[in-house]
Amino acid sequence: MSSSSPSPSPAASRVDLDGNPVAPLTICMIGAGGFIGSHLCEKLMAETSHVVLAVDVYCDKIRHLVDPAPPHLAGRISFHRLNIKNDSRLEGLIKMADLTINLAAICTPADYNTRPLDTIYSNFIDALPVVKYCSENNKRLIHFSTCEVYGKTIGSFLPKDHPLRKEPEFYVLKEDESPCIFGPIVKQRWSYACAKQLIERLVFAEGAENGLEFTIVRPFNWIGPRMDFIPGVDGPSEGVPRVLACFSNNLLRREPLKLVDGGESQRTFVYIKDAIEAVLLMIENPARANGHIFNVGNPNNEVTVRELAEMMTEVYANVSGEPPLDEPMIDVSSNQFYGEGYDDSDKRIPDMTIINRQLGWNPKTPLKDLLETTLTYQHKTYKEAVKRQMSQASASS
């Protein structure tokens, strides 16, 4: 007569890339209630034994995990409602943790012009205590930066028809080599990128001078369900979210998609679930991740903003069953859309050499597939709420 013991759960048997067992960590996640944080919390709860101290002002996007925590997650995740600007509890939470992940930021391009002070304070001043507490208490830090720290490409300063514009060394962005090129001070759009670059330099300096164990993440347009907000539904009516949510809002309202300055800027997009895989590798492989800056993007998903609008219009028609508008897109100037002081980067293509070498990570999801997943979620989640909001607005006008 034989007895069999239950097989270990995937969380119990996790190993790092070098075959070593991964010990359960306590993670202080600042900004856990946002788009990236909500997906990372879900991943950690589903696939690991790590404990999360979820820090944010709002918990709407992780309410299903924390309010209250389901019985099987008891003791695994707790929500701590605090603003890192002025709360003495922050250092205590960082001390309790093995690792701090800082996701907190103002990262909406429309705010860079209209709220430059808030943008600089949020992305630099408010992040200072997090870096300080991690350094003073010998705690590891994964700091989220942005691909915007690269600014403009070298190629953008060449004539438009110059053959060197097509050479990768003039536009592919490398973590340890590419310069950070911003516009003039009067272009306040660069307030975000400049603040993010300065906090990166501080983190790097803490590592060099005081031994801080750090990893810096530069996301290249992570998109998927729960990204940003839909104005007037779960965000301010006058709010302007980032491009994917902006276009989703237009599609839900059957309005033409607004192409800023013709939609000529080129971008790459990566699926949030692919990107979260990369973050989990950073969490569980400190020996490979510490001291590195990682681009996390998908160079295969490169399109102009105009091409993105065309793809989204086609995909949404299939998802919703509604035919596209006769004129699905209109051109607007950046001054009309964002106000004075806006400027843009021409092209953002991440070099993937370092993350591939250190962590073996490559993105998987093609752009059309991630747009189908995201727009299906947007349609199911928001269509009826948008209808109600529009009818209320018309009734009161």
Side-chain angles (χ1 to χ4, degrees):
M1 186 174 172
S2 63
S3 63
S4 59
S5 58
S7 58
S9 69
S13 56
R14 293 187 71 79
V15 294
D16 66 17
L17 292 171
D18 298 307
N20 303 308
V22 174
L25 300 168
T26 297
I27 300 170
C28 176
M29 191 186 304
I30 300 166
F35 165 55
I36 295 172
S38 67
H39 285 275
L40 183 53
C41 284
E42 285 181 343
K43 181 82 168 174
L44 292 168
M45 292 302 103
E47 297 184 19
T48 79
S49 298
H50 305 315
V51 172
V52 173
L53 310 175
V55 176
D56 212 320
V57 180
Y58 305 106
C59 66
D60 295 8
K61 293 180 182 181
I62 55 170
R63 194 174 297 281
H64 59 297
L65 299 175
V66 300
D67 190 22
H72 70 286
L73 297 181
R76 293 273 323 281
I77 184 167
S78 55
F79 180 64
H80 303 265
R81 190 183 303 276
L82 63 90
N83 188 324
I84 63 170
K85 286 181 186 179
N86 50 22
D87 200 303
S88 58
R89 291 175 293 168
L90 178 63
E91 184 173 13
L93 291 167
I94 289 173
K95 282 182 174 179
M96 288 168 60
D98 304 294
L99 163 68
T100 293
I101 300 175
N102 189 8
L103 294 154
I106 287 178
C107 53
T108 308
D111 290 329
Y112 309 159
N113 272 10
T114 57
R115 299 169 58 202
L117 282 176
D118 283 346
T119 300
I120 292 165
Y121 271 78
S122 169
N123 292 294
F124 178 65
I125 304 296
D126 295 350
L128 289 175
V130 178
V131 180
K132 177 174 177 278
Y133 296 150
C134 287
S135 184
E136 289 178 351
N137 293 287
N138 297 313
K139 300 295 184 176
R140 185 176 169 222
L141 171 66
I142 296 179
H143 181 81
F144 271 69
S145 184
T146 171
C147 61
E148 294 220 9
V149 297
Y150 291 109
K152 302 187 178 196
T153 65
I154 299 171
S156 70
F157 293 90
L158 297 169
K160 283 205 169 182
D161 57 353
H162 199 291
L164 287 178
R165 271 183 171 250
K166 296 181 180 177
E167 296 296 321
E169 61 264 36
F170 285 84
Y171 65 82
V172 173
L173 302 170
K174 299 183 177 183
E175 297 97 325
D176 296 343
E177 296 179 28
S178 296
C180 302
I181 306 172
F182 302 150
I185 297 298
V186 294
K187 300 291 188 181
Q188 296 210 84
R189 184 250 196 278
W190 300 108
S191 59
Y192 172 66
C194 191
K196 281 293 196 180
Q197 187 204 137
L198 190 53
I199 198 72
E200 275 199 32
R201 291 192 182 278
L202 183 86
V203 170
F204 199 89
E206 282 285 358
E209 290 195 29
N210 296 323
L212 173 66
E213 292 187 1
F214 72 88
T215 302
I216 292 171
V217 186
R218 290 180 180 166
F220 280 71
N221 294 300
W222 298 9
I223 61 176
R226 300 197 292 271
M227 180 182 180
D228 287 359
F229 60 91
I230 297 298
V233 177
D234 56 358
S237 297
E238 68 283 2
V240 182
R242 286 171 288 185
V243 64
L244 185 115
C246 225
F247 285 169
S248 297
N249 183 46
N250 295 142
L251 291 166
L252 287 161
R253 297 174 189 278
R254 293 193 59 75
E255 298 170 347
L257 278 60
K258 294 176 180 176
L259 300 180
V260 175
D261 295 337
E264 292 181 1
S265 296
Q266 292 171 276
R267 295 290 183 267
T268 58
F269 297 89
V270 65
Y271 187 38
I272 182 66
K273 293 192 183 300
D274 290 351
I276 291 300
E277 291 280 356
V279 180
L280 186 55
L281 286 166
M282 295 173 207
I283 291 169
E284 296 190 332
N285 291 273
R288 289 170 174 256
N290 281 346
H292 285 286
I293 302 169
F294 291 117
N295 289 339
V296 182
N298 189 338
N300 299 317
N301 286 347
E302 185 198 9
V303 286
T304 66
V305 173
R306 179 177 287 277
E307 289 167 340
L308 176 70
E310 290 166 352
M311 288 181 74
M312 288 182 67
T313 300
E314 179 188 337
V315 169
Y316 189 73
N318 293 335
V319 163
S320 65
E322 299 172 356
L325 298 175
D326 292 337
E327 292 186 38
M329 286 166 272
I330 56 171
D331 287 349
V332 298
S333 73
S334 55
N335 278 1
Q336 285 175 289
F337 195 79
Y338 290 117
E340 291 291 332
Y342 188 76
D343 197 8
D344 207 355
S345 52
D346 54 319
K347 193 174 174 81
R348 292 199 202 126
I349 312 295
D351 181 88
M352 305 300 289
T353 305
I354 295 178
I355 195 166
N356 189 260
R357 181 189 70 219
Q358 293 299 118
L359 302 175
W361 180 82
N362 278 303
K364 305 181 186 75
T365 310
L367 184 56
K368 189 160 187 184
D369 291 354
L370 69 88
L371 288 178
E372 282 180 4
T373 301
T374 304
L375 289 174
T376 298
Y377 171 86
Q378 301 284 71
H379 182 71
K380 286 182 176 175
T381 305
Y382 291 112
K383 185 62 182 179
E384 292 307 313
V386 167
K387 273 186 188 172
R388 285 194 300 274
Q389 194 250 343
M390 289 175 72
S391 64
Q392 287 167 1
S394 61
S396 61
S397 62

